[in-house]
Amino acid sequence: MEGRVKVNGVELWYDVQGEGEPVVQIHGAGFGHFNFAPATPVLAERFRVVDFDLRGYGQSDRPVQDYDMEVWADDLAGLMDALGIEQAHVHGTSMGGMIAIVFAGKYPERTRSVVINCAAAKLGMSGRLVFKNWIDIARMDPAGPGSRILAELIAWQALSKAFLETPDGVAAIDAIQQILRDSNDVEVFATACQAMCDMDIREWLPRITSPALVLGGDEDLMTPWDQGPGGAGQEAIYQGIPNAEKHVIHGSNHSTVFDNTEEHNRVVIEFFRRHSAQ
């Protein structure tokens, strides 16, 4: 079931697959709901999975405005209202993991459990340079976010070395370029990337009361476990959430859902099932 619904002044596109307890999935910067293409069919065998395009991306409205993680978190709450979902498991990856932190902290009563995948609570200087590069390339290249240079940069920043050596890894570069081209407008893309550079969402971590799993790859270059002295990476997220769990996927980079799909899906499903209401 897919459709569009008015939420907080914009129309959001959504798609629902499967039956059971609801799982809402929050995609990363630039990628729209395609971020979960390897996960959705597997999770939908056990859960009611809600994919959607965040405000600013894909088939949802793309207003040029101020963006931050709380804007997107509030949109998710509004989408859940529109779909009649009182409480859900939350599965957020990359920027979606950052939004998941804010959502779980601001709406604890609506969060059954939360998986925070390949995220950061505050970017260090090296982390900010990643997204500054994205902004610069998208603005300078006539192709905008659909730049081949940007797609290749993101591929090596996000996918493991082993995966990139495979035919699927090589094909992923083309897929990244197409998704970035089709899902983004340059000004919104730049503004959203800047929102990650500016954020400091550490204050939300101790407010998370639901079960939380911090999940990431040991080779993550984009949002490493250690963001350096000026930031708060995945290890800081794990340390900052009361009673959080963590799982490190060895041989994975920033996109564990793609470069180690089987382990990613297995760990997420096991976590959600352990914290099921049923």
Side-chain angles (χ1 to χ4, degrees):
M1 180 185 71
E2 69 174 86
R4 291 172 63 87
V5 66
K6 196 82 166 182
V7 172
N8 298 334
V10 298
E11 283 197 347
L12 299 181
W13 176 92
Y14 68 89
D15 178 71
V16 182
Q17 297 184 39
E19 296 180 357
E21 287 192 0
V23 172
V24 294
Q25 302 196 120
I26 317 173
H27 65 76
F31 283 85
H33 68 282
F34 300 104
N35 229 159
F36 290 104
T40 296
V42 181
L43 269 67
E45 294 175 3
R46 298 167 177 81
F47 302 99
R48 179 187 177 199
V49 180
V50 180
D51 283 311
F52 70 108
D53 287 335
L54 292 166
R55 173 193 300 250
Y57 295 103
Q59 298 177 63
S60 293
D61 288 349
R62 306 180 192 177
V64 177
Q65 62 169 79
D66 290 332
Y67 283 88
D68 60 34
M69 305 307 134
E70 195 166 0
V71 166
W72 286 306
D74 290 342
D75 280 351
L76 175 54
L79 177 63
M80 288 171 61
D81 288 341
L83 297 179
I85 298 172
E86 182 177 344
Q87 188 181 66
H89 301 282
V90 180
H91 184 199
T93 187
S94 193
M95 187 180 79
M98 304 168 197
I99 298 166
I101 290 170
V102 177
F103 180 85
K106 187 171 183 178
Y107 300 99
E109 74 286 352
R110 310 204 65 174
T111 309
R112 182 71 198 168
S113 69
V114 58
V115 172
I116 301 163
N117 175 229
C118 299
K122 185 178 188 296
L123 296 174
M125 183 59 182
S126 62
R128 294 195 299 275
L129 285 173
V130 168
F131 297 108
K132 181 182 183 299
N133 289 164
W134 288 23
I135 293 168
D136 291 344
I137 293 170
R139 284 184 167 157
M140 290 189 296
D141 194 315
S147 163
R148 183 66 180 184
I149 297 170
L150 181 59
E152 292 173 349
L153 176 67
I154 290 174
W156 77 258
Q157 288 176 334
L159 300 170
S160 70
K161 295 184 287 292
F163 182 74
L164 279 172
E165 294 288 350
T166 68
D168 285 344
V170 175
I173 302 172
D174 291 332
I176 289 168
Q177 184 178 14
Q178 180 179 349
I179 291 167
L180 290 173
R181 181 186 66 225
D182 295 345
S183 298
N184 295 275
D185 297 327
V186 64
E187 284 308 315
V188 178
F189 177 84
T191 302
C193 287
Q194 189 62 48
M196 286 187 286
C197 293
D198 296 340
M199 73 169 185
D200 184 351
I201 56 175
R202 290 175 293 179
E203 65 176 311
W204 294 104
L205 297 173
R207 304 185 195 184
I208 297 174
T209 57
S210 67
L213 170 66
V214 181
L215 172 64
D218 64 339
E219 296 181 8
D220 194 329
L221 297 173
M222 197 179 300
T223 56
W225 286 84
D226 179 6
Q227 278 282 343
Q234 295 183 68
E235 184 65 26
I237 294 171
Y238 165 67
Q239 296 288 345
I241 299 173
N243 302 311
E245 302 175 32
K246 73 174 177 180
H247 183 94
V248 180
I249 298 182
H250 296 284
S252 268
N253 193 347
H254 180 71
S255 294
T256 60
V257 70
F258 280 93
D259 65 19
N260 262 294
T261 302
E262 184 177 347
E263 183 172 354
H264 177 104
N265 289 343
R266 174 180 58 79
V267 171
V268 170
I269 289 168
E270 287 178 356
F271 179 75
F272 287 156
R273 291 183 72 175
R274 277 196 288 117
H275 298 290
S276 170
Q278 298 173 357

